[in-house]
Amino acid sequence: MAAIDSFEFLLKEILQVFSTGRDAFAILGAVYTASKAISISRCILTALNDHFLSRLRRQSDLKTKFGRWAVVTGSSEGIGKAYAQELASHGVNIILISRGERRLFKTAKEIEEQFHVETCCIAADFSKGMEIYAKVMKAIGDKEVGILVNNVGVMYDYPQLFLDVPAERLWQLIHINVAAATMMTHGLLPQMVQRKRGAVVMVSSGACSQITPQMTIYAATKSFLDYFARSLHYEYKSKGVLVQSLMPFYVATRMTQYSETLSCTNFFIPTASGYARSAVSTLGVSSRTSGFFPHTIMSWIANLVPEGMWMWGSSRLNEALRAQALHRLKQQSAGRLAQSASDQALDIIDSGTSTPS
Ligand SMILES: NC(=O)c1ccc[n+]([C@@H]2O[C@H](COP(=O)([O-])OP(=O)(O)OC[C@H]3O[C@@H](n4cnc5c(N)ncnc54)[C@H](OP(=O)(O)O)[C@@H]3O)[C@@H](O)[C@H]2O)c1
């Protein structure tokens, strides 16, 4: 009898422990679910505000809010050119900086004619290192720069493993993607702080939302920009300067031309001007954004997928994109060979007919 009593007592005690444990688990589950629900709602509300509500509100005049001039690096084509055009459509004067003078002047002329603003062209190669910045700052002179768009950036010719990228290209990536944004910001931030207004945009990339193999150094430079923007925003927002980390996923530009898939625009791959229109509407609204609603959906997915799965998926995608790029290069070189063979044949025919008989 005593043995049965003590067994029942033991069972009761165990069940009580389990029911207390069950309650604890239930509370933990409820807290976890509530925190997830809050963070999902916050994501959705932020996206709604950045991409839709901000457009409904009357956007304050960018010129009055930040300053008369904007500097856009890498602005002779692609996202930089489109961003410069979009700012010009708000009446902001534009300072364009790129390497190729001809393209630069052509873009500046188009902007002046279309938007009736002033432009200033500075031909500079950001891969050259420190010595160019004094020249660039001198050319900017005492213009009231209210917006700096650190857009210039380069990728590899196509996705590749680290050791397959030429050392010279890696060095260029560091100079162009990292050093240019750092030095341009260092040169122009003081006048914004002095006037207590201004905006700096760092064009980072969705490629750094998660670890993206086969774009390793490119994505690492973009992570640098994202970190730089977020920390700088915290340091200078109280001084009137807003810093935005802009993280686009694929946009159809010269940079993505290596792939047939990425060259075709669709819901997720906008044109540079479609992207820039949306991105400029987030300026002064969000300090960290993809700049384009479909890209925000992509960033949600990127953040939900476990890291290992993301790396596996992006590796497979980059292998497929590399295969497309190599196929394209092969076709182009076959085309060039055929062209030079036909040129040679024409030369022979020409020399044959021009020989006096
Ligand atoms: N396209 C995308 O899918 C994508 C996605 C995420 C992030 N991004 C970022 O967005 C930015 C713009 O990309 P994009 O696609 O518009 O590139 P893009 O079409 O290749 O245009 C690059 C611009 O930068 C200039 N540039 C290149 N090298 C330069 C150098 N050494 N010195 C000075 N200027 C230079 C180019 O003009 P010159 O050649 O005449 O110098 C051109 O105006 C980059 O930072 C890129 O990383 C792009």
Side-chain angles (χ1 to χ4, degrees):
M1 256 328 249
I4 292 171
D5 278 353
S6 60
F7 175 73
E8 275 178 5
F9 175 74
L10 198 65
L11 196 64
K12 254 190 214 157
E13 285 295 305
I14 290 171
L15 285 176
Q16 195 158 356
V17 168
F18 269 112
S19 81
T20 328
R22 230 181 19 233
D23 290 349
F25 276 122
I27 290 168
L28 267 180
V31 169
Y32 180 76
T33 311
S35 75
K36 279 281 159 201
I38 289 171
S39 80
I40 290 170
S41 318
R42 219 177 41 202
C43 276
I44 293 171
L45 288 176
T46 307
L48 282 178
N49 183 49
D50 291 358
H51 302 293
F52 303 106
L53 299 180
S54 65
R55 288 190 209 187
L56 294 181
R57 286 195 294 268
R58 208 170 71 83
Q59 208 181 17
S60 55
D61 175 15
L62 293 179
K63 222 161 76 172
T64 320
K65 193 169 177 186
F66 299 119
R68 292 175 53 229
W69 287 84
V71 170
V72 185
T73 65
S75 41
S76 62
E77 62 179 299
I79 297 174
K81 176 179 175 178
Y83 204 106
Q85 287 172 323
E86 194 55 34
L87 288 178
S89 77
H90 288 263
V92 180
N93 300 322
I94 309 290
I95 300 169
L96 303 111
I97 314 180
S98 279
R99 278 171 312 181
E101 276 191 30
R102 210 167 49 84
R103 252 202 312 255
L104 203 54
F105 283 108
K106 188 171 167 274
T107 304
K109 193 162 175 272
E110 281 170 23
I111 291 179
E112 278 184 10
E113 284 173 2
Q114 197 177 350
F115 304 106
H116 312 291
V117 295
E118 288 177 59
T119 64
C120 164
C121 293
I122 304 174
D125 184 345
F126 288 110
S127 69
K128 297 290 181 224
M130 188 70 183
E131 68 271 14
I132 68 150
Y133 296 99
K135 184 187 127 193
V136 170
M137 290 307 152
K138 195 166 165 223
I140 293 173
D142 58 1
K143 290 187 182 67
E144 185 196 278
V145 177
I147 303 172
L148 165 64
V149 186
N150 285 310
N151 165 77
V152 72
V154 287
M155 222 287 275
Y156 322 147
D157 291 339
Y158 44 83
Q160 278 173 299
L161 295 174
F162 175 68
L163 285 180
D164 295 337
V165 184
E168 195 191 334
R169 188 68 169 165
L170 294 174
W171 195 242
Q172 282 176 355
L173 252 84
I174 309 288
H175 274 304
I176 300 169
N177 298 10
V178 172
T182 312
M183 298 313 295
M184 289 301 299
T185 307
H186 193 259
L188 293 172
L189 189 60
Q191 57 156 299
M192 297 184 192
V193 172
Q194 201 180 13
R195 281 195 312 273
K196 296 192 175 60
R197 63 192 174 118
V200 179
V201 180
M202 308 279 181
V203 183
S204 171
S205 168
C208 72
S209 325
Q210 278 250 33
I211 307 293
T212 305
Q214 304 193 32
M215 287 167 77
T216 303
I217 299 303
Y218 173 75
T221 63
K222 295 295 168 180
S223 285
F224 171 92
L225 292 177
D226 180 43
Y227 185 104
F228 182 23
R230 292 160 73 187
S231 192
L232 203 67
H233 182 68
Y234 191 82
E235 287 181 17
Y236 287 94
K237 70 172 182 241
S238 59
K239 296 177 174 66
V241 182
L242 306 177
V243 185
Q244 184 188 55
S245 174
L246 190 62
M247 307 171 81
F249 279 81
Y250 293 117
V251 179
T253 64
R254 184 178 66 178
M255 186 179 275
T256 56
Q257 254 172 20
Y258 62 84
S259 150
E260 207 178 313
T261 312
L262 302 180
S263 306
C264 301
T265 57
N266 56 42
F267 179 69
F268 286 108
I269 306 179
T271 59
S273 46
Y275 176 76
R277 199 171 315 120
S278 168
V280 170
S281 74
T282 69
L283 185 59
V285 176
S286 171
S287 60
R288 192 171 186 240
T289 174
S290 74
F292 181 64
F293 182 62
H295 287 187
T296 295
I297 299 177
M298 288 168 85
S299 76
W300 288 341
I301 297 169
N303 290 322
L304 279 177
V305 175
E307 187 176 280
M309 199 189 281
W310 178 267
M311 289 201 276
W312 181 86
S314 53
S315 284
R316 300 292 83 75
L317 172 68
N318 282 333
E319 275 163 16
L321 295 175
R322 181 168 61 243
Q324 282 188 355
L326 293 175
H327 181 68
R328 228 170 213 210
L329 286 175
K330 217 165 148 184
Q331 276 182 332
Q332 280 165 1
S333 76
R336 270 198 300 274
L337 272 179
Q339 182 64 42
S340 83
S342 90
D343 287 349
Q344 273 178 6
L346 284 173
D347 285 348
I348 291 168
I349 293 167
D350 282 351
S351 60
T353 50
S354 63
T355 313
S357 51

PDB file of all heavy atoms in Angstrom, residues 229-251:
ATOM      1  N   ALA A 229      27.282  53.795 -44.062  1.00  0.00           N
ATOM      2  CA  ALA A 229      26.087  54.643 -44.112  1.00  0.00           C
ATOM      3  C   ALA A 229      25.338  54.608 -42.779  1.00  0.00           C
ATOM      4  O   ALA A 229      24.939  55.662 -42.251  1.00  0.00           O
ATOM      5  CB  ALA A 229      25.167  54.168 -45.238  1.00  0.00           C
ATOM      6  N   ARG A 230      25.166  53.427 -42.219  1.00  0.00           N
ATOM      7  CA  ARG A 230      24.355  53.309 -41.005  1.00  0.00           C
ATOM      8  C   ARG A 230      25.015  54.012 -39.822  1.00  0.00           C
ATOM      9  O   ARG A 230      24.379  54.698 -39.030  1.00  0.00           O
ATOM     10  CB  ARG A 230      24.111  51.843 -40.686  1.00  0.00           C
ATOM     11  CG  ARG A 230      23.200  51.209 -41.736  1.00  0.00           C
ATOM     12  CD  ARG A 230      23.306  49.719 -41.745  1.00  0.00           C
ATOM     13  NE  ARG A 230      22.673  49.083 -40.623  1.00  0.00           N
ATOM     14  CZ  ARG A 230      22.751  47.793 -40.366  1.00  0.00           C
ATOM     15  NH1 ARG A 230      23.428  47.007 -41.177  1.00  0.00           N
ATOM     16  NH2 ARG A 230      22.136  47.273 -39.327  1.00  0.00           N
ATOM     17  N   SER A 231      26.332  53.832 -39.736  1.00  0.00           N
ATOM     18  CA  SER A 231      27.034  54.442 -38.620  1.00  0.00           C
ATOM     19  C   SER A 231      27.117  55.961 -38.791  1.00  0.00           C
ATOM     20  O   SER A 231      26.904  56.726 -37.838  1.00  0.00           O
ATOM     21  CB  SER A 231      28.437  53.829 -38.532  1.00  0.00           C
ATOM     22  OG  SER A 231      29.043  54.181 -37.342  1.00  0.00           O
ATOM     23  N   LEU A 232      27.391  56.407 -40.025  1.00  0.00           N
ATOM     24  CA  LEU A 232      27.491  57.843 -40.310  1.00  0.00           C
ATOM     25  C   LEU A 232      26.144  58.532 -40.065  1.00  0.00           C
ATOM     26  O   LEU A 232      26.090  59.663 -39.577  1.00  0.00           O
ATOM     27  CB  LEU A 232      27.922  58.016 -41.772  1.00  0.00           C
ATOM     28  CG  LEU A 232      28.584  59.330 -42.138  1.00  0.00           C
ATOM     29  CD1 LEU A 232      29.927  59.457 -41.451  1.00  0.00           C
ATOM     30  CD2 LEU A 232      28.788  59.423 -43.654  1.00  0.00           C
ATOM     31  N   HIS A 233      25.055  57.843 -40.403  1.00  0.00           N
ATOM     32  CA  HIS A 233      23.724  58.406 -40.186  1.00  0.00           C
ATOM     33  C   HIS A 233      23.526  58.704 -38.699  1.00  0.00           C
ATOM     34  O   HIS A 233      23.041  59.762 -38.315  1.00  0.00           O
ATOM     35  CB  HIS A 233      22.660  57.438 -40.704  1.00  0.00           C
ATOM     36  CG  HIS A 233      21.265  57.956 -40.561  1.00  0.00           C
ATOM     37  ND1 HIS A 233      20.796  59.024 -41.274  1.00  0.00           N
ATOM     38  CD2 HIS A 233      20.236  57.573 -39.743  1.00  0.00           C
ATOM     39  CE1 HIS A 233      19.554  59.285 -40.934  1.00  0.00           C
ATOM     40  NE2 HIS A 233      19.188  58.417 -40.005  1.00  0.00           N
ATOM     41  N   TYR A 234      23.948  57.744 -37.886  1.00  0.00           N
ATOM     42  CA  TYR A 234      23.806  57.923 -36.437  1.00  0.00           C
ATOM     43  C   TYR A 234      24.660  59.098 -35.945  1.00  0.00           C
ATOM     44  O   TYR A 234      24.223  59.907 -35.124  1.00  0.00           O
ATOM     45  CB  TYR A 234      24.203  56.631 -35.708  1.00  0.00           C
ATOM     46  CG  TYR A 234      23.837  56.671 -34.251  1.00  0.00           C
ATOM     47  CD1 TYR A 234      22.541  56.377 -33.834  1.00  0.00           C
ATOM     48  CD2 TYR A 234      24.771  57.066 -33.296  1.00  0.00           C
ATOM     49  CE1 TYR A 234      22.187  56.457 -32.492  1.00  0.00           C
ATOM     50  CE2 TYR A 234      24.429  57.149 -31.956  1.00  0.00           C
ATOM     51  CZ  TYR A 234      23.131  56.842 -31.565  1.00  0.00           C
ATOM     52  OH  TYR A 234      22.775  56.929 -30.239  1.00  0.00           O
ATOM     53  N   GLU A 235      25.897  59.193 -36.502  1.00  0.00           N
ATOM     54  CA  GLU A 235      26.815  60.259 -36.056  1.00  0.00           C
ATOM     55  C   GLU A 235      26.320  61.650 -36.457  1.00  0.00           C
ATOM     56  O   GLU A 235      26.527  62.610 -35.738  1.00  0.00           O
ATOM     57  CB  GLU A 235      28.214  60.052 -36.662  1.00  0.00           C
ATOM     58  CG  GLU A 235      29.009  58.908 -36.054  1.00  0.00           C
ATOM     59  CD  GLU A 235      30.398  58.774 -36.679  1.00  0.00           C
ATOM     60  OE1 GLU A 235      30.876  59.720 -37.326  1.00  0.00           O
ATOM     61  OE2 GLU A 235      31.005  57.701 -36.524  1.00  0.00           O
ATOM     62  N   TYR A 236      25.701  61.779 -37.644  1.00  0.00           N
ATOM     63  CA  TYR A 236      25.439  63.124 -38.184  1.00  0.00           C
ATOM     64  C   TYR A 236      23.977  63.532 -38.311  1.00  0.00           C
ATOM     65  O   TYR A 236      23.715  64.665 -38.698  1.00  0.00           O
ATOM     66  CB  TYR A 236      26.179  63.300 -39.533  1.00  0.00           C
ATOM     67  CG  TYR A 236      27.660  63.445 -39.284  1.00  0.00           C
ATOM     68  CD1 TYR A 236      28.499  62.335 -39.335  1.00  0.00           C
ATOM     69  CD2 TYR A 236      28.202  64.676 -38.926  1.00  0.00           C
ATOM     70  CE1 TYR A 236      29.839  62.452 -39.046  1.00  0.00           C
ATOM     71  CE2 TYR A 236      29.544  64.805 -38.639  1.00  0.00           C
ATOM     72  CZ  TYR A 236      30.364  63.690 -38.694  1.00  0.00           C
ATOM     73  OH  TYR A 236      31.685  63.813 -38.387  1.00  0.00           O
ATOM     74  N   LYS A 237      23.044  62.648 -37.985  1.00  0.00           N
ATOM     75  CA  LYS A 237      21.630  63.057 -38.159  1.00  0.00           C
ATOM     76  C   LYS A 237      21.286  64.225 -37.232  1.00  0.00           C
ATOM     77  O   LYS A 237      20.531  65.114 -37.600  1.00  0.00           O
ATOM     78  CB  LYS A 237      20.670  61.871 -38.047  1.00  0.00           C
ATOM     79  CG  LYS A 237      20.521  61.275 -36.699  1.00  0.00           C
ATOM     80  CD  LYS A 237      19.394  60.256 -36.690  1.00  0.00           C
ATOM     81  CE  LYS A 237      19.233  59.696 -35.299  1.00  0.00           C
ATOM     82  NZ  LYS A 237      19.433  58.311 -35.130  1.00  0.00           N
ATOM     83  N   SER A 238      21.891  64.246 -36.037  1.00  0.00           N
ATOM     84  CA  SER A 238      21.598  65.367 -35.121  1.00  0.00           C
ATOM     85  C   SER A 238      22.209  66.663 -35.639  1.00  0.00           C
ATOM     86  O   SER A 238      21.873  67.743 -35.167  1.00  0.00           O
ATOM     87  CB  SER A 238      22.140  65.047 -33.726  1.00  0.00           C
ATOM     88  OG  SER A 238      23.528  64.838 -33.826  1.00  0.00           O
ATOM     89  N   LYS A 239      23.121  66.559 -36.605  1.00  0.00           N
ATOM     90  CA  LYS A 239      23.739  67.763 -37.185  1.00  0.00           C
ATOM     91  C   LYS A 239      23.063  68.134 -38.509  1.00  0.00           C
ATOM     92  O   LYS A 239      23.589  68.913 -39.294  1.00  0.00           O
ATOM     93  CB  LYS A 239      25.233  67.522 -37.392  1.00  0.00           C
ATOM     94  CG  LYS A 239      25.953  67.296 -36.075  1.00  0.00           C
ATOM     95  CD  LYS A 239      27.410  66.982 -36.263  1.00  0.00           C
ATOM     96  CE  LYS A 239      28.135  66.904 -34.925  1.00  0.00           C
ATOM     97  NZ  LYS A 239      27.703  65.800 -34.072  1.00  0.00           N
ATOM     98  N   GLY A 240      21.918  67.514 -38.782  1.00  0.00           N
ATOM     99  CA  GLY A 240      21.116  67.892 -39.943  1.00  0.00           C
ATOM    100  C   GLY A 240      21.454  67.140 -41.227  1.00  0.00           C
ATOM    101  O   GLY A 240      20.882  67.430 -42.278  1.00  0.00           O
ATOM    102  N   VAL A 241      22.381  66.179 -41.158  1.00  0.00           N
ATOM    103  CA  VAL A 241      22.757  65.455 -42.383  1.00  0.00           C
ATOM    104  C   VAL A 241      22.205  64.028 -42.325  1.00  0.00           C
ATOM    105  O   VAL A 241      22.474  63.281 -41.379  1.00  0.00           O
ATOM    106  CB  VAL A 241      24.287  65.416 -42.579  1.00  0.00           C
ATOM    107  CG1 VAL A 241      24.645  64.703 -43.871  1.00  0.00           C
ATOM    108  CG2 VAL A 241      24.866  66.823 -42.572  1.00  0.00           C
ATOM    109  N   LEU A 242      21.418  63.677 -43.360  1.00  0.00           N
ATOM    110  CA  LEU A 242      20.840  62.333 -43.420  1.00  0.00           C
ATOM    111  C   LEU A 242      21.732  61.456 -44.295  1.00  0.00           C
ATOM    112  O   LEU A 242      22.163  61.892 -45.360  1.00  0.00           O
ATOM    113  CB  LEU A 242      19.434  62.380 -44.028  1.00  0.00           C
ATOM    114  CG  LEU A 242      18.451  63.341 -43.364  1.00  0.00           C
ATOM    115  CD1 LEU A 242      17.127  63.335 -44.117  1.00  0.00           C
ATOM    116  CD2 LEU A 242      18.227  62.932 -41.904  1.00  0.00           C
ATOM    117  N   VAL A 243      21.997  60.251 -43.864  1.00  0.00           N
ATOM    118  CA  VAL A 243      22.806  59.328 -44.670  1.00  0.00           C
ATOM    119  C   VAL A 243      21.941  58.113 -44.966  1.00  0.00           C
ATOM    120  O   VAL A 243      21.323  57.541 -44.069  1.00  0.00           O
ATOM    121  CB  VAL A 243      24.102  58.920 -43.942  1.00  0.00           C
ATOM    122  CG1 VAL A 243      24.982  58.069 -44.849  1.00  0.00           C
ATOM    123  CG2 VAL A 243      24.873  60.146 -43.466  1.00  0.00           C
ATOM    124  N   GLN A 244      21.885  57.747 -46.242  1.00  0.00           N
ATOM    125  CA  GLN A 244      21.031  56.624 -46.633  1.00  0.00           C
ATOM    126  C   GLN A 244      21.861  55.481 -47.217  1.00  0.00           C
ATOM    127  O   GLN A 244      22.717  55.701 -48.083  1.00  0.00           O
ATOM    128  CB  GLN A 244      20.022  57.086 -47.691  1.00  0.00           C
ATOM    129  CG  GLN A 244      19.033  55.998 -48.075  1.00  0.00           C
ATOM    130  CD  GLN A 244      18.161  56.387 -49.264  1.00  0.00           C
ATOM    131  OE1 GLN A 244      18.675  56.742 -50.321  1.00  0.00           O
ATOM    132  NE2 GLN A 244      16.856  56.311 -49.098  1.00  0.00           N
ATOM    133  N   SER A 245      21.588  54.282 -46.755  1.00  0.00           N
ATOM    134  CA  SER A 245      22.171  53.094 -47.388  1.00  0.00           C
ATOM    135  C   SER A 245      21.148  52.582 -48.395  1.00  0.00           C
ATOM    136  O   SER A 245      20.051  52.168 -48.031  1.00  0.00           O
ATOM    137  CB  SER A 245      22.442  52.020 -46.329  1.00  0.00           C
ATOM    138  OG  SER A 245      22.875  50.834 -46.953  1.00  0.00           O
ATOM    139  N   LEU A 246      21.510  52.653 -49.677  1.00  0.00           N
ATOM    140  CA  LEU A 246      20.592  52.246 -50.751  1.00  0.00           C
ATOM    141  C   LEU A 246      21.068  50.885 -51.272  1.00  0.00           C
ATOM    142  O   LEU A 246      22.198  50.760 -51.735  1.00  0.00           O
ATOM    143  CB  LEU A 246      20.646  53.312 -51.852  1.00  0.00           C
ATOM    144  CG  LEU A 246      19.609  53.213 -52.964  1.00  0.00           C
ATOM    145  CD1 LEU A 246      18.200  53.359 -52.420  1.00  0.00           C
ATOM    146  CD2 LEU A 246      19.858  54.311 -54.002  1.00  0.00           C
ATOM    147  N   MET A 247      20.186  49.877 -51.166  1.00  0.00           N
ATOM    148  CA  MET A 247      20.626  48.510 -51.454  1.00  0.00           C
ATOM    149  C   MET A 247      19.809  47.852 -52.574  1.00  0.00           C
ATOM    150  O   MET A 247      18.934  47.012 -52.311  1.00  0.00           O
ATOM    151  CB  MET A 247      20.516  47.671 -50.181  1.00  0.00           C
ATOM    152  CG  MET A 247      21.231  48.290 -48.990  1.00  0.00           C
ATOM    153  SD  MET A 247      20.880  47.436 -47.477  1.00  0.00           S
ATOM    154  CE  MET A 247      22.003  46.057 -47.594  1.00  0.00           C
ATOM    155  N   PRO A 248      20.090  48.231 -53.840  1.00  0.00           N
ATOM    156  CA  PRO A 248      19.321  47.614 -54.924  1.00  0.00           C
ATOM    157  C   PRO A 248      19.730  46.162 -55.167  1.00  0.00           C
ATOM    158  O   PRO A 248      20.880  45.795 -54.908  1.00  0.00           O
ATOM    159  CB  PRO A 248      19.691  48.464 -56.143  1.00  0.00           C
ATOM    160  CG  PRO A 248      20.953  49.155 -55.802  1.00  0.00           C
ATOM    161  CD  PRO A 248      21.083  49.191 -54.315  1.00  0.00           C
ATOM    162  N   PHE A 249      18.771  45.375 -55.656  1.00  0.00           N
ATOM    163  CA  PHE A 249      19.134  44.059 -56.208  1.00  0.00           C
ATOM    164  C   PHE A 249      19.411  44.311 -57.697  1.00  0.00           C
ATOM    165  O   PHE A 249      19.892  45.395 -58.038  1.00  0.00           O
ATOM    166  CB  PHE A 249      18.012  43.050 -55.949  1.00  0.00           C
ATOM    167  CG  PHE A 249      18.066  42.490 -54.539  1.00  0.00           C
ATOM    168  CD1 PHE A 249      17.547  43.189 -53.464  1.00  0.00           C
ATOM    169  CD2 PHE A 249      18.667  41.261 -54.285  1.00  0.00           C
ATOM    170  CE1 PHE A 249      17.621  42.697 -52.166  1.00  0.00           C
ATOM    171  CE2 PHE A 249      18.749  40.751 -52.989  1.00  0.00           C
ATOM    172  CZ  PHE A 249      18.217  41.472 -51.942  1.00  0.00           C
ATOM    173  N   TYR A 250      19.088  43.381 -58.607  1.00  0.00           N
ATOM    174  CA  TYR A 250      19.478  43.588 -60.003  1.00  0.00           C
ATOM    175  C   TYR A 250      18.714  44.731 -60.683  1.00  0.00           C
ATOM    176  O   TYR A 250      17.498  44.847 -60.550  1.00  0.00           O
ATOM    177  CB  TYR A 250      19.263  42.311 -60.812  1.00  0.00           C
ATOM    178  CG  TYR A 250      20.197  41.201 -60.397  1.00  0.00           C
ATOM    179  CD1 TYR A 250      19.715  40.013 -59.853  1.00  0.00           C
ATOM    180  CD2 TYR A 250      21.573  41.341 -60.557  1.00  0.00           C
ATOM    181  CE1 TYR A 250      20.576  38.995 -59.468  1.00  0.00           C
ATOM    182  CE2 TYR A 250      22.440  40.330 -60.173  1.00  0.00           C
ATOM    183  CZ  TYR A 250      21.938  39.166 -59.623  1.00  0.00           C
ATOM    184  OH  TYR A 250      22.793  38.168 -59.243  1.00  0.00           O
ATOM    185  N   VAL A 251      19.474  45.566 -61.412  1.00  0.00           N
ATOM    186  CA  VAL A 251      18.918  46.639 -62.244  1.00  0.00           C
ATOM    187  C   VAL A 251      19.572  46.463 -63.612  1.00  0.00           C
ATOM    188  O   VAL A 251      20.789  46.220 -63.686  1.00  0.00           O
ATOM    189  CB  VAL A 251      19.273  48.035 -61.661  1.00  0.00           C
ATOM    190  CG1 VAL A 251      18.728  49.148 -62.542  1.00  0.00           C
ATOM    191  CG2 VAL A 251      18.747  48.188 -60.229  1.00  0.00           C
TER     192      VAL A 251
END
